[in-house]
Amino acid sequence: MSNALAGYEGDYLSYATMIIRFILPVLAIIIVIRCIRSLLREKSEGEIWGQLRLDNGSIIDLNFWENTIGRARSSDVYIEIPTISRNHAALNRDDKGNWHIFDMESKTGVVVNGKKIEGADGVSVKSGDQISLGGVSLRFVAADVTDEYEQAVSRTRPGQVYKQRTALIYLTEFQLLLGLQLCIAAGDSFTMALPLCFFALIIIMWTCYFVTRTLRRIAFEVETIAFFLCTIGLSVVASGSPSELIRQVIFIVLGVIFFYVMGWFLRDLDRAKKMRKPVALIGPILLAATLVLGKEVNGAIRWINFAGISVQPSEFVKIALIFAGAATLERLFARRNLLAFIGLTGACMIFLTLMTDFGSALIFFVAYLVIAYLRSGDIATIFLSLAGAGFAGLLALSSRPHIAGRLARCGKSWEYANVRG
């Protein structure tokens, strides 16, 4: 009799597992689509922070805090006059409402109120100042307090197209069903740590949501996607290394705390800019320490053991590189600063190459390309960088045969799943 009951119970669990397997992909698609559509639909509204007025009466609006001026169509302020360089100048506003103009190493220079700009530091400009670019005279007019107030009042609040709470409800259902499926699949190896960790993740997620609402922030799409990925990661750990579940949840909590601390820190732009040089120096130092103190695992030196905890410094260096580049974005158009950023990225990639961590090196290179192009818009620099990376890649293929082997097995992972796939 007991065997029969056990058989029926097993059948019910099998049916439940099968149903859950069909529901989970549907919920996952709904969550991702809602977040993506919300991000795409909630576009920033046009704003006018100032104007450039030509002698012929034409008016050019300044729609950003950082505006490049030039003859290139990619410029924020496009002026199709032959005497103006493709990337001629940059007109930037700081968080206190002060404006500065910088010469982007143009051929004819930038003149403000009859005085030519010297050096890469730029000069302050105020409403009524005359700016001359390639012989073209422009009068600068900044938006006053009344204009900014009217824009703030008329601006619609984001997050009205798709309610983020609905996406979180779908994600909670996804987490509960996935946790239930893992509990069923665990069988005799089931431990209470599994459901408790999934419940902890749900509590962390909803706590973050209510915290952001308390801070009067409506958008939660990026956080929703992050918690969705954490859920997938937790399920992988539960399937492969259930004993690591609690530690994984602890790392998620630390990551959330770090996220909010960084959000608070970056709200003060002056403080962020002051920290860019120390943060930039920390990157190569951490990688050098890894090269000296780290141990080789699977052909690469990536990890440092500290007080019984394995740490991968390159993960922190990725954040440092992006932070240093983003904090320097307004100054990357100056060749000196662009070269310094290239030097920082190059140093990091040299250390990663010596550590044979080519995957991280590729991520660093792509991050560098994005940041450098966002501000410089210099296609020549990008092409030279790509050519250099291609040459370095050929050297890596010739000196590290296992990399060539990985490329040869690309697209054939299942054939080598149990060997070197």
Side-chain angles (χ1 to χ4, degrees):
M1 186 69 177
S2 60
N3 291 334
L5 289 174
Y8 282 122
E9 183 181 350
D11 290 339
Y12 285 132
L13 292 178
S14 298
Y15 287 133
T17 302
M18 183 177 64
I19 293 171
I20 291 173
R21 285 179 179 174
F22 281 105
I23 296 175
L24 287 177
V26 175
L27 287 174
I29 292 171
I30 291 173
I31 294 164
V32 174
I33 288 178
R34 284 188 67 89
C35 291
I36 292 176
R37 293 190 68 180
S38 181
L39 288 169
L40 294 177
R41 289 286 295 275
E42 300 289 0
K43 295 181 180 179
S44 58
E45 300 177 17
E47 299 172 317
I48 300 175
W49 297 100
Q51 294 178 336
L52 292 175
R53 300 180 179 179
L54 282 74
D55 292 337
N56 61 5
S58 300
I59 297 176
I60 302 173
D61 292 331
L62 301 173
N63 301 118
F64 311 103
W65 281 24
E66 299 176 353
N67 304 270
T68 55
I69 307 172
R71 191 162 41 86
R73 291 190 176 275
S74 59
S75 300
D76 300 317
V77 177
Y78 170 58
I79 303 177
E80 192 177 8
I81 297 178
T83 55
I84 292 180
S85 301
R86 289 181 56 80
N87 295 294
H88 200 109
L91 187 58
N92 298 346
R93 177 188 188 274
D94 62 24
D95 55 333
K96 296 181 178 61
N98 302 314
W99 288 84
H100 291 78
I101 190 167
F102 303 86
D103 184 4
M104 296 176 66
E105 300 184 359
S106 60
K107 294 180 180 179
T108 55
V110 178
V111 179
V112 178
N113 296 328
K115 186 176 180 180
K116 189 173 183 179
I117 294 179
E118 300 292 343
D121 293 331
V123 297
S124 173
V125 290
K126 300 177 181 178
S127 286
D129 285 350
Q130 289 293 136
I131 301 172
S132 178
L133 308 175
V136 179
S137 181
L138 306 164
R139 186 164 68 90
F140 170 69
V141 179
D144 57 24
V145 176
T146 303
D147 294 332
E148 294 185 15
Y149 175 77
E150 290 178 352
Q151 286 189 119
V153 171
S154 63
R155 191 177 302 130
T156 58
R157 298 180 69 191
Q160 303 300 321
V161 179
Y162 296 100
K163 301 296 183 183
Q164 295 307 306
R165 185 178 300 178
T166 305
L168 284 186
I169 292 173
Y170 281 123
L171 180 53
T172 303
E173 294 173 357
F174 179 86
Q175 291 166 335
L176 290 173
L177 288 174
L178 183 57
L180 176 60
Q181 183 187 42
L182 290 168
C183 289
I184 295 172
D188 296 335
S189 60
F190 169 80
T191 62
M192 284 302 297
L194 201 160
L196 288 176
C197 287
F198 271 85
F199 278 122
L201 180 60
I202 293 172
I203 292 171
I204 294 167
M205 179 180 71
W206 281 100
T207 301
C208 291
Y209 173 74
F210 286 117
V211 167
T212 56
R213 295 288 291 182
T214 303
L215 297 174
R216 297 187 177 183
R217 281 187 52 216
I218 296 177
F220 202 74
E221 298 93 341
V222 175
E223 291 89 340
T224 301
I225 294 173
F227 279 112
F228 174 72
L229 294 174
C230 286
T231 304
I232 300 297
L234 204 61
S235 69
V236 173
V237 174
S239 301
S241 304
S243 59
E244 297 290 323
L245 276 171
I246 296 176
R247 191 170 75 159
Q248 191 72 14
V249 172
I250 292 173
F251 283 137
I252 291 173
V253 172
L254 293 175
V256 169
I257 294 172
F258 182 72
F259 170 75
Y260 281 103
V261 169
M262 286 297 295
W264 166 80
F265 177 80
L266 293 174
R267 282 187 174 275
D268 189 331
L269 297 181
D270 290 334
R271 178 172 54 203
K273 290 177 183 177
K274 290 176 183 177
M275 288 298 296
R276 61 190 173 192
K277 289 183 179 178
V279 170
L281 290 173
I282 288 172
I285 292 173
L286 282 176
L287 293 178
T290 307
L291 188 61
V292 175
L293 304 176
K295 294 182 178 180
E296 184 174 331
V297 179
N298 295 328
I301 304 172
R302 300 177 184 175
W303 301 86
I304 293 179
N305 290 323
F306 180 76
I309 300 175
S310 295
V311 180
Q312 191 172 356
S314 63
E315 296 300 321
F316 298 98
V317 180
K318 290 174 187 175
I319 299 173
L321 178 72
I322 294 173
F323 172 81
T328 319
L329 269 178
E330 65 168 342
R331 304 297 304 279
L332 276 179
F333 54 75
R335 189 169 297 277
R336 180 185 63 188
N337 297 313
L338 181 59
L339 290 175
F341 184 63
I342 293 173
L344 170 64
T345 310
C348 291
M349 291 185 65
I350 288 172
F351 281 119
L352 289 169
T353 302
L354 294 174
M355 294 156 54
T356 65
D357 190 356
F358 294 103
S360 295
L362 181 60
I363 294 173
F364 273 65
F365 181 69
V366 173
Y368 150 74
L369 286 180
V370 172
I371 294 174
Y373 182 72
L374 276 175
R375 176 41 66 201
S376 71
D378 190 353
I379 296 295
T381 301
I382 302 303
F383 275 117
L384 285 173
S385 300
L386 289 171
F391 179 71
L394 291 175
L395 289 178
L397 289 174
S398 59
S399 60
R400 303 287 179 177
H402 70 279
I403 299 178
R406 289 179 183 175
L407 292 176
R409 291 187 294 272
C410 183
K412 303 176 182 178
S413 299
W414 294 113
E415 296 180 23
Y416 301 93
N418 298 321
V419 190
R420 299 185 64 84

